Amino acid sequence: MGTAKRASSRVQGVSALALLCAMAILTAPGLATGSAHAAPAAPAAPSAPAPEPEGKSLDQVRKEIEDLYRQAGTATDAYNLAVGETKAQSERIVEIAKLVVAGQDRISGLKDRAGAAARAQYRSGGLPPGAALALSDSPSAYLDGAGRLRQGEKATTDLLSELNRTQTDLERYAKDAGALWQKMEENRVKQEAAKKEIEDKIKAAEALESRLAAEEKARLIQLEQEAQYKAQTAWLSSGAMKDVKGAATDAGKRAVQFATAQMGKPYEWGAEGPGSFDCSGLTSQAWLAAGRPIPRTSQEQLRLLPKVALKDMRPGDLIIYFDDASHVGMYVGDGAMVHAPRPGRNITMAGAGSMPIKAVVRPDA
């Protein structure tokens, strides 16, 4: 992780705009600056064309690879959601088990008390009240005892009611635990299916890349950067950033600081750090570090966090990408965002408009 540490030290104390400009110089034409008037850098002269897989152009291969990775991202969200639900269900089952133990202990105590009451009644002989009064040597003492007996009878009735309630609770706990076990099994099946889909998509994308010559792989990266730069330039030229002037909150600053400090670390599906992250693993951990736990997946972040208009966007807000909400990045200011792009790439800064934006959500609204 030496590279990650160096990347982290570079970004600390540097504004998003300055860092973005520096990265644009180092990786041009991969990233637009915060200026809406920034002109695309001239693309590097292409190398001599090499044989391409199945007669497809390199740009077609790029789009196919990106689509496979995006599908893997959607499956990763499904996997992460199933993992999160399974964890919550498991924790609830542990809570129920503790309640069952406590309930069983309570029933044992109640049964002991009921037995003691029954033995006391047996010792009294079980005579009818009229006969007991007639045979008593001291009617006043009998009446006093009868009052205590009535209190004892009420206590016994209350004890039996409590015993029944506790037994009913135990039956409900058993039913709840059974339902949770069933859901856990369903989620296990979902996890396995999502895991297989992720692995299949990634393998297919890697297989496409592996068939490219070294020159083509370098050119593929350049094409990715050019496509992102073109999208960012068009987005800025549309005036999307014209009214965006929101300032980060203290929590937002902490979240941005955490996210940018991870730059250079690799993308890994299902990962939440510290050595690697997937896209929503990065954003959720950044906000957790800022003291605000948020949903784990980009789809749940979209569904559960408050949405804000693009013009009201401020650093720390999350940008949800694509119609299926399969990707998320964190806005850091100056038209830039930080994100974990995909397998085979490291956490980096990119133009906020370099992918189709679905919505902006705010963890600290």
Side-chain angles (χ1 to χ4, degrees), residues 4 51 61-62 135 247 273 311:
V61 173
R62 174 188 67 80
L135 295 172
K311 66 181 179 62

mmCIF file with all atom_site columns, all heavy atoms in Angstrom, residues 4 51 61-62 135 247 273 311:
data_model
loop_
_atom_site.group_PDB
_atom_site.id
_atom_site.type_symbol
_atom_site.label_atom_id
_atom_site.label_alt_id
_atom_site.label_comp_id
_atom_site.label_asym_id
_atom_site.label_entity_id
_atom_site.label_seq_id
_atom_site.pdbx_PDB_ins_code
_atom_site.Cartn_x
_atom_site.Cartn_y
_atom_site.Cartn_z
_atom_site.occupancy
_atom_site.B_iso_or_equiv
_atom_site.pdbx_formal_charge
_atom_site.auth_seq_id
_atom_site.auth_comp_id
_atom_site.auth_asym_id
_atom_site.auth_atom_id
_atom_site.pdbx_PDB_model_num
ATOM 1  N N   . ALA A 1 4   ? -0.702  3.830   -2.113  1.00 0.00 ? 4   ALA A N   1
ATOM 2  C CA  . ALA A 1 4   ? -1.853  4.447   -1.479  1.00 0.00 ? 4   ALA A CA  1
ATOM 3  C C   . ALA A 1 4   ? -1.429  5.509   -0.494  1.00 0.00 ? 4   ALA A C   1
ATOM 4  O O   . ALA A 1 4   ? -2.046  6.578   -0.406  1.00 0.00 ? 4   ALA A O   1
ATOM 5  C CB  . ALA A 1 4   ? -2.682  3.374   -0.768  1.00 0.00 ? 4   ALA A CB  1
ATOM 6  N N   . PRO A 1 51  ? -4.534  -6.215  -34.539 1.00 0.00 ? 51  PRO A N   1
ATOM 7  C CA  . PRO A 1 51  ? -5.731  -7.033  -34.685 1.00 0.00 ? 51  PRO A CA  1
ATOM 8  C C   . PRO A 1 51  ? -6.619  -6.913  -33.448 1.00 0.00 ? 51  PRO A C   1
ATOM 9  O O   . PRO A 1 51  ? -6.128  -6.944  -32.326 1.00 0.00 ? 51  PRO A O   1
ATOM 10 C CB  . PRO A 1 51  ? -5.153  -8.457  -34.816 1.00 0.00 ? 51  PRO A CB  1
ATOM 11 C CG  . PRO A 1 51  ? -3.757  -8.263  -35.259 1.00 0.00 ? 51  PRO A CG  1
ATOM 12 C CD  . PRO A 1 51  ? -3.297  -6.989  -34.674 1.00 0.00 ? 51  PRO A CD  1
ATOM 13 N N   . VAL A 1 61  ? -14.942 -2.497  -27.978 1.00 0.00 ? 61  VAL A N   1
ATOM 14 C CA  . VAL A 1 61  ? -14.456 -3.369  -26.911 1.00 0.00 ? 61  VAL A CA  1
ATOM 15 C C   . VAL A 1 61  ? -14.514 -2.617  -25.574 1.00 0.00 ? 61  VAL A C   1
ATOM 16 O O   . VAL A 1 61  ? -14.930 -3.166  -24.548 1.00 0.00 ? 61  VAL A O   1
ATOM 17 C CB  . VAL A 1 61  ? -13.024 -3.851  -27.196 1.00 0.00 ? 61  VAL A CB  1
ATOM 18 C CG1 . VAL A 1 61  ? -12.454 -4.618  -25.998 1.00 0.00 ? 61  VAL A CG1 1
ATOM 19 C CG2 . VAL A 1 61  ? -12.999 -4.729  -28.439 1.00 0.00 ? 61  VAL A CG2 1
ATOM 20 N N   . ARG A 1 62  ? -14.088 -1.353  -25.588 1.00 0.00 ? 62  ARG A N   1
ATOM 21 C CA  . ARG A 1 62  ? -14.135 -0.534  -24.371 1.00 0.00 ? 62  ARG A CA  1
ATOM 22 C C   . ARG A 1 62  ? -15.558 -0.471  -23.823 1.00 0.00 ? 62  ARG A C   1
ATOM 23 O O   . ARG A 1 62  ? -15.793 -0.675  -22.618 1.00 0.00 ? 62  ARG A O   1
ATOM 24 C CB  . ARG A 1 62  ? -13.636 0.877   -24.653 1.00 0.00 ? 62  ARG A CB  1
ATOM 25 C CG  . ARG A 1 62  ? -13.799 1.833   -23.468 1.00 0.00 ? 62  ARG A CG  1
ATOM 26 C CD  . ARG A 1 62  ? -13.482 3.264   -23.859 1.00 0.00 ? 62  ARG A CD  1
ATOM 27 N NE  . ARG A 1 62  ? -14.435 3.823   -24.794 1.00 0.00 ? 62  ARG A NE  1
ATOM 28 C CZ  . ARG A 1 62  ? -15.638 4.309   -24.436 1.00 0.00 ? 62  ARG A CZ  1
ATOM 29 N NH1 . ARG A 1 62  ? -16.015 4.270   -23.167 1.00 0.00 ? 62  ARG A NH1 1
ATOM 30 N NH2 . ARG A 1 62  ? -16.456 4.808   -25.345 1.00 0.00 ? 62  ARG A NH2 1
ATOM 31 N N   . LEU A 1 135 ? -65.304 -23.226 62.787  1.00 0.00 ? 135 LEU A N   1
ATOM 32 C CA  . LEU A 1 135 ? -64.366 -24.031 63.558  1.00 0.00 ? 135 LEU A CA  1
ATOM 33 C C   . LEU A 1 135 ? -63.226 -23.217 64.158  1.00 0.00 ? 135 LEU A C   1
ATOM 34 O O   . LEU A 1 135 ? -62.411 -23.743 64.916  1.00 0.00 ? 135 LEU A O   1
ATOM 35 C CB  . LEU A 1 135 ? -63.776 -25.141 62.666  1.00 0.00 ? 135 LEU A CB  1
ATOM 36 C CG  . LEU A 1 135 ? -64.795 -26.185 62.172  1.00 0.00 ? 135 LEU A CG  1
ATOM 37 C CD1 . LEU A 1 135 ? -64.130 -27.111 61.155  1.00 0.00 ? 135 LEU A CD1 1
ATOM 38 C CD2 . LEU A 1 135 ? -65.338 -26.993 63.365  1.00 0.00 ? 135 LEU A CD2 1
ATOM 39 N N   . ALA A 1 247 ? -21.326 25.164  0.373   1.00 0.00 ? 247 ALA A N   1
ATOM 40 C CA  . ALA A 1 247 ? -20.134 24.924  1.199   1.00 0.00 ? 247 ALA A CA  1
ATOM 41 C C   . ALA A 1 247 ? -20.337 23.672  2.035   1.00 0.00 ? 247 ALA A C   1
ATOM 42 O O   . ALA A 1 247 ? -21.447 23.371  2.478   1.00 0.00 ? 247 ALA A O   1
ATOM 43 C CB  . ALA A 1 247 ? -19.882 26.117  2.108   1.00 0.00 ? 247 ALA A CB  1
ATOM 44 N N   . GLY A 1 273 ? -12.829 -1.489  3.000   1.00 0.00 ? 273 GLY A N   1
ATOM 45 C CA  . GLY A 1 273 ? -11.588 -1.016  3.566   1.00 0.00 ? 273 GLY A CA  1
ATOM 46 C C   . GLY A 1 273 ? -11.010 -2.024  4.537   1.00 0.00 ? 273 GLY A C   1
ATOM 47 O O   . GLY A 1 273 ? -11.563 -3.094  4.746   1.00 0.00 ? 273 GLY A O   1
ATOM 48 N N   . LYS A 1 311 ? -28.146 22.043  -8.296  1.00 0.00 ? 311 LYS A N   1
ATOM 49 C CA  . LYS A 1 311 ? -27.661 23.396  -8.014  1.00 0.00 ? 311 LYS A CA  1
ATOM 50 C C   . LYS A 1 311 ? -27.350 23.603  -6.525  1.00 0.00 ? 311 LYS A C   1
ATOM 51 O O   . LYS A 1 311 ? -26.596 24.512  -6.163  1.00 0.00 ? 311 LYS A O   1
ATOM 52 C CB  . LYS A 1 311 ? -28.689 24.433  -8.480  1.00 0.00 ? 311 LYS A CB  1
ATOM 53 C CG  . LYS A 1 311 ? -29.998 24.418  -7.723  1.00 0.00 ? 311 LYS A CG  1
ATOM 54 C CD  . LYS A 1 311 ? -30.965 25.463  -8.264  1.00 0.00 ? 311 LYS A CD  1
ATOM 55 C CE  . LYS A 1 311 ? -32.285 25.444  -7.519  1.00 0.00 ? 311 LYS A CE  1
ATOM 56 N NZ  . LYS A 1 311 ? -32.128 25.765  -6.089  1.00 0.00 ? 311 LYS A NZ  1
#
